[in-house]
Amino acid sequence: MKADGRPRTAREKYGEELKLRRMAAGLTQEALAREVVCSPTLISHYEAGRRLPSPDDARRIDQALGTDGFFERWLEDLDPAFAHYFGAVAELEQEVTEIRHYGGSLIPGLLQTKAYSRAVFEAYRPNYCAEELDELVVSRAKRAMLLEKPSAPVTWILLDEAALRRRVGGPQVMAEQLHKVADMADAGRVRLHVLPLASGAHALLEGMLYLLTFADAAPLAYIEGLHNGRLVDDPALVGACHTSYTLALSDAASRQSRWRSSEASRRSTNMHITEPTTDVAALTGWRKSSYSGGANGDCLEVADGHASVPVRDSKTPTGPTLTFSPQGWSGFVMAVKRGELSA
């Protein structure tokens, strides 16, 4: 436990031991940096637990301090699979009693399927290699096991509706992901709330927020942006983050409404658009759908007698065609009739 009441992470313990051994050896940070061939600032980051040394740096630290491989061996027990700004959070998660997470554009990592995680990593890592992605996906899946434990923390998940409707990885991947979120909520493993797009601006619109509560330590907040993140322990700022979360939660849809949104999103992932081809143009059996708007001459046509359900606009018969699975088409029609997919 740190003096400020926050649990000490394994990285911080590593850094504290490094500082003690350096001082015992009579070296300044600048002197150790010369031996390790790095900057004094990097040594400071190591000692504060903000960063972990590379295996080569750990080896040179042992040589400079005469610690006989101590820091290199200890490094093997610390998981470097997470970004340096998130490593401490991943360790602290193991001690939490309550989690409150807001996902604005993505499903939070603790709830992601492996296929969804892979699609996310592929999207922001140009020139990736398959082995690297495999390691990242496995690390995220291991994190998610936190919610499988008998002593799993109480977990609140607040999602923007946009996160449910964005088709990360394509229809099949997204359908699997939405089913997992819904199943976890049904099983009581998470308390799921959805902020509908119609709610407009809300208190968490500007970023991702992750709140961690502990049994015997002060609460923390984690705020993340593009390629950076910040663990917040200042009581005033953590309190402000909790207030923002509560305000946004008050704008979330009712249970009935949020399941309508989730179900509509799950059904919509069962369709895809096929560009016009000679095969599509040659489809026969077109008829006016029994559910067609009719306003301003609008007419939805369906082709019978096929394994899937092709749908087109009668005004542009050679234009793009929507193709549904039979179950997807039935779900789509029911959702429209109930007003769940209205603009």
Side-chain angles (χ1 to χ4, degrees):
M1 186 77 66
K2 295 186 70 176
D4 60 7
R6 179 165 68 83
R8 293 162 66 229
T9 67
R11 291 175 178 230
E12 288 170 338
K13 294 174 183 178
Y14 186 96
E16 290 168 3
E17 187 64 27
L18 172 58
K19 182 178 180 179
L20 288 173
R21 298 293 184 101
R22 173 183 61 78
M23 294 176 67
L27 295 177
T28 63
Q29 289 182 342
E30 290 76 10
L32 181 58
R34 286 193 294 271
E35 296 291 331
V36 179
V37 193
C38 69
S39 69
T41 300
L42 195 54
I43 297 297
S44 176
H45 285 318
Y46 294 161
E47 293 184 350
R50 292 187 292 267
R51 299 281 296 272
L52 286 175
S54 67
D56 286 342
D57 280 356
R59 190 175 304 114
R60 286 191 285 266
I61 287 171
D62 281 320
Q63 291 172 354
L65 301 180
T67 44
D68 193 26
F70 175 80
F71 288 103
E72 185 180 6
R73 289 193 301 273
W74 192 356
L75 186 65
E76 295 174 359
D77 295 330
L78 302 178
D79 190 353
F82 302 105
H84 66 85
Y85 51 81
F86 187 76
V89 179
E91 293 175 15
L92 289 167
E93 280 179 333
Q94 305 307 311
E95 308 295 330
V96 296
T97 56
E98 181 178 281
I99 288 172
R100 295 192 175 223
H101 207 317
Y102 166 66
S105 57
L106 291 172
I107 305 298
L110 287 174
L111 276 65
Q112 290 178 6
T113 64
K114 290 183 178 179
Y116 185 99
S117 295
R118 177 175 289 274
V120 171
F121 289 132
E122 287 179 352
Y124 78 84
R125 284 178 174 262
N127 304 320
Y128 61 82
C129 64
E131 293 78 9
E132 180 186 16
L133 289 187
D134 289 341
E135 292 177 2
L136 292 169
V137 170
V138 168
S139 293
R140 183 157 291 184
K142 287 181 178 178
R143 255 191 79 216
M145 293 177 65
L146 173 70
L147 301 184
E148 305 285 347
K149 296 179 179 180
S151 58
V154 176
T155 303
W156 300 66
I157 301 294
L158 178 60
L159 296 177
D160 196 291
E161 186 179 346
L164 296 174
R165 294 192 177 274
R166 176 171 287 103
R167 292 186 191 174
V168 174
Q172 199 65 33
V173 170
M174 196 63 201
E176 180 188 5
Q177 177 62 73
L178 292 173
H179 278 293
K180 178 175 181 178
V181 172
D183 290 345
M184 293 181 74
D186 284 341
R189 285 156 54 200
V190 301
R191 297 185 60 87
L192 177 66
H193 299 269
V194 176
L195 275 164
L197 295 173
S199 66
H202 57 80
L204 296 176
L205 192 60
E206 292 187 322
M208 188 280 282
L209 178 64
Y210 190 25
L211 301 172
L212 301 93
T213 300
F214 307 89
D216 55 0
L220 300 172
Y222 175 71
I223 304 167
E224 187 171 280
L226 183 63
H227 302 307
N228 72 90
R230 179 187 175 196
L231 186 61
V232 179
D233 56 11
D234 176 73
L237 188 50
V238 173
C241 288
H242 273 272
T243 298
S244 295
Y245 193 96
T246 301
L247 288 172
L249 190 62
S250 71
D251 289 330
S254 66
R255 180 177 179 84
Q256 181 179 11
S257 296
R258 72 172 178 265
W259 281 118
R260 276 186 165 189
S261 174
S262 180
E263 287 296 319
S265 296
R266 280 196 281 178
R267 279 190 291 269
S268 71
T269 59
N270 290 320
M271 69 178 182
H272 64 276
I273 297 176
T274 56
E275 296 300 326
T277 65
T278 54
D279 291 338
V280 173
L283 289 171
T284 59
W286 289 102
R287 63 173 175 81
K288 180 178 179 179
S289 169
S290 58
Y291 185 83
S292 192
N296 301 317
D298 293 342
C299 182
L300 199 64
E301 292 184 338
V302 179
D304 290 328
H306 304 281
S308 57
V309 184
V311 180
R312 73 183 183 188
D313 186 340
S314 64
K315 299 191 298 300
T316 55
T318 59
T321 301
L322 285 172
T323 305
F324 291 78
S325 67
Q327 298 88 351
W329 172 245
S330 298
F332 176 81
V333 171
M334 292 300 296
V336 171
K337 287 182 177 180
R338 288 195 294 263
E340 296 172 8
L341 299 179
S342 59

